[in-house]
């Protein structure tokens, strides 16, 4: 599922293509709004709110969309062939004289009054990439359920918005705790560090075409070496962080940890594949 940084990039592309221009074509291919016509209206802006996209249009209207697992918005030049999937997967078309934005496989698409956007996004917590970012509020919301596993708490968009499964795994690795450790059992200062890292990583990746978490400066100093089982008392060699590696644990099951060399493990957490390093991260595991 696209996470906050990816959705922000999508919003930027749509804003560049549509904002300030009059729509010459409008086609919303969902039953409830199939007769709605935005043609002749000027697009005012396209904004990301966590994982949600808000396309605001002249006349006090907002087109709200969410990509979820495999939705996508593509932008094309007037004579460019559309690529993104078969025609029956198109859910929205917004075009002006210079660009056409096509929404594929959008599971959420609704037209609402701009004054009522809170119906769609009012439940969300503070956005690390938004003007409403409030780390204190994010901390308070995470601490409201101390018995909850930290991985679940990070994914709850009501606590703070924009984190998905990739960042959940990477943030827990950076904090050196497993995603199954209850929030209330986190060592002193770790939850504050998690919130700070969330903002840092999302901002660092907001303009990157390929996400990376190996930019975290904390990881330039490896932890104390673990003993090598084959050679008691001798430190195990620490593998260097390779340039081509962008993520520390996500998607790297059975491969060596970039920090300690232990094989990365994986298991489901609430139906989501979750990755962690048994050598670097402490806490309960399945």
């Amino acid at each position: 599922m696209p996470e906050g940084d990816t959705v922000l990039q999508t919003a930027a592309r749509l804003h560049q293509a549509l904002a300030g221009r009059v729509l010459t074509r409008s086609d919303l291919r969902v039953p409830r709004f199939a007769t709605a016509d935005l043609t002749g209206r000027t697009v005012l802006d396209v904004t990301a709110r966590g994982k949600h996209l808000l396309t605001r249009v002249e006349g006090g209207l907002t087109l709200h969309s969410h990509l979820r697992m495999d939705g996508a918005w593509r932008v094309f030049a007037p004579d460019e062939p559309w690529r993104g999937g078969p025609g029956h997967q198109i859910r929205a078309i917004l075009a002006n004289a210079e660009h056409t934005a096509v929404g594929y496989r959008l599971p959420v698409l609704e037209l609402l009054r701009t004054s009522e956007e809170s119906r769609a996004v009012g439940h969300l917590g503070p956005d690390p990439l938004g003007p409403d970012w409030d780390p204190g509020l994010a901390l308070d919301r995470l601490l409201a359920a101390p018995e909850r596993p930290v991985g679940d708490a990070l994914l709850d968009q009501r606590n703070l918005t924009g984190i998905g499964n990739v960042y959940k795994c990477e943030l827990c690795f950076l904090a050196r705790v497993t995603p199954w450790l209850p929030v209330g059992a986190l060592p002193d200062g770790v939850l504050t560090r998690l919130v700070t890292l969330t903002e840092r990583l999302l901002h660092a990746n907001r303009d990157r075409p390929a996400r990376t978490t190996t930019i975290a400066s904390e990881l330039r100093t490896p932890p104390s070496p673990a003993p090598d089982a084959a050679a008691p008392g001798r430190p195990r060699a620490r593998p260097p962080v390779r340039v081509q590696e962008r993520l520390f644990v996500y998607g790297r099951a059975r491969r060596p940890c970039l920090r300690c060399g232990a094989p990365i493990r994986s298991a489901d957490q609430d139906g989501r594949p979750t990755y962690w390093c048994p050598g670097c991260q402490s806490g309960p595991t399945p």
Side-chain angles (χ1 to χ4, degrees):
M1 179 183 292
E3 307 191 23
D5 50 357
T6 303
V7 175
L8 187 72
Q9 292 171 18
T10 300
R13 288 194 298 271
L14 290 173
H15 182 87
Q16 184 176 20
L18 301 176
R21 297 181 173 91
V22 176
L23 292 173
T24 58
R25 181 179 179 183
S26 164
D27 187 357
L28 306 182
R29 300 181 181 180
V30 293
R32 184 179 175 187
F33 302 104
T35 60
D37 187 5
L38 302 176
T39 302
R41 298 175 186 256
T42 300
V43 175
L44 303 179
D45 68 80
V46 183
T47 299
R49 180 75 171 83
K51 301 181 184 183
H52 299 252
L53 286 164
L54 303 171
T55 302
R56 299 182 178 116
V57 182
E58 180 184 23
L61 295 175
T62 295
L63 185 65
H64 166 231
S65 59
H66 195 298
L67 306 180
R68 288 195 181 162
M69 288 301 295
D70 61 349
W73 278 98
R74 310 289 187 193
V75 176
F76 305 101
D79 299 326
E80 185 180 1
W82 296 358
R83 303 175 305 278
H88 71 267
Q89 293 183 349
I90 294 174
R91 295 292 176 266
I93 302 171
L94 298 176
N96 53 47
E98 298 174 328
H99 302 97
T100 299
V102 183
Y104 290 90
R105 300 173 300 278
L106 300 175
V108 175
L109 185 70
E110 62 175 340
L111 191 63
L112 58 146
R113 295 187 181 280
T114 302
S115 60
E116 298 176 354
E117 284 180 359
S118 60
R119 288 200 298 108
V121 296
H123 66 288
L124 299 175
D127 185 348
L129 292 173
D132 70 320
W133 175 237
D134 184 339
L137 178 58
L139 276 171
D140 289 344
R141 293 192 176 187
L142 288 166
L143 287 168
E147 74 288 349
R148 194 173 190 185
V150 64
D152 288 345
L154 288 172
L155 286 180
D156 190 337
Q157 302 298 293
R158 296 169 297 183
N159 292 331
L160 66 167
T161 188
I163 297 179
N165 203 40
V166 176
Y167 275 120
K168 176 197 82 172
C169 297
E170 295 291 297
L171 285 165
C172 287
F173 175 81
L174 292 168
R176 304 188 184 187
V177 297
T178 68
W180 292 271
L181 186 68
V183 170
L186 288 170
D188 290 346
V190 169
L191 191 61
T192 300
R193 182 174 175 230
L194 273 170
V195 171
T196 301
L197 279 171
T198 297
E199 181 186 22
R200 284 183 56 195
L201 288 181
L202 284 168
H203 272 277
N205 285 290
R206 59 180 296 169
D207 299 319
R208 291 174 179 266
R211 179 185 297 127
T212 178
T213 59
T214 58
I215 57 174
S217 61
E218 290 89 341
L219 295 167
R220 298 312 179 196
T221 303
S224 300
D228 190 329
R234 295 177 61 186
R236 181 168 56 191
R238 303 184 185 102
V241 175
R242 292 171 291 177
V243 173
Q244 66 266 32
E245 297 285 1
R246 296 186 295 107
L247 302 175
F248 284 100
V249 291
Y250 188 85
R252 301 189 69 251
R254 297 181 298 280
R255 296 172 63 189
C257 173
L258 299 175
R259 192 163 61 183
C260 77
I264 300 299
R265 297 185 61 189
S266 66
D268 280 355
Q269 185 177 32
D270 284 346
R272 296 179 176 90
T274 298
Y275 303 84
W276 78 99
C277 172
C280 295
Q281 294 170 255
S282 62
T285 58

